[in-house]
Amino acid sequence: MTRVFGITGWKNSGKTTLTEKLVTELVGRGWTVSTVKHAHHDFDIDKPGADSFRHRQAGATEVAIVSDRRWALMHELRNEDEPTLDDILARLAPADIVLVEGYKREAHKKIEARRMEAKDRTPLSANDPNIVAIAADFGVEGEKLPVFDLDDTKSIADFVERSTGLVARTK
């Protein structure tokens, strides 16, 4: 069973920074952590002119890039539907926990990141029963869910461990 915990929020709400800090904290505690980041529209991790880019442009559906330090697999959808989160999770190597950034509409436990500078500050938790906590850089009043300071990574990591059952395992 893969433990999945999400970080959700509006644009510029601090999702990526919180995800990065949680990865560092959880790895420091001895857990293996993988991440899935939902991107919008026509993102690309490849550069025009690179051999792998040329392979994809020529029509390859999947291109693997491999070195002695890392490997990456790119898959061109070529008119296929976007894969579900479950499809992506099934392709990942085993890990103690997968942190998922984005995927607002998926049904896994999530913490909602809120920042004053966010594009939108409308609370998502009111309409998403899968949001189990809030992390904000400002005071949050009248919230029934646990609220953390957005920079209190240790307390948030403790909460993630408890919420996903990581504490119950021997590290």
Side-chain angles (χ1 to χ4, degrees), residues 37-92:
K37 160 78 173 145
H38 190 261
H40 295 285
H41 311 299
D42 196 25
F43 83 96
D44 205 338
I45 60 170
D46 213 356
K47 295 182 182 114
D51 293 350
S52 54
F53 186 90
R54 293 171 61 193
H55 295 185
R56 288 189 305 125
Q57 290 299 105
T61 299
E62 289 194 325
V63 176
I65 307 168
V66 183
S67 78
D68 62 350
R69 294 186 184 225
R70 71 187 57 86
W71 69 273
L73 177 64
M74 289 178 286
H75 181 97
E76 285 293 318
L77 290 177
R78 306 239 185 258
N79 300 316
E80 300 169 55
D81 290 336
E82 178 180 335
T84 66
L85 177 57
D86 286 340
D87 292 337
I88 298 302
L89 292 172
R91 292 192 75 147
L92 295 178

Side-chain angles (χ1 to χ4, degrees), residues 13-14 18 21 113-115 135-137 148-153 156:
S13 63
L18 179 55
K21 288 178 177 181
R114 297 180 187 172
R115 282 187 37 212
D137 71 351
F148 298 93
D149 183 290
L150 191 56
D151 292 323
D152 188 359
T153 308
I156 296 170

Side-chain angles (χ1 to χ4, degrees), residues 17 29 75 83 132 147 149 158 161:
T17 300
R29 295 179 184 197
H75 181 97
V132 295
V147 177
D149 183 290
D158 290 344
E161 285 180 326

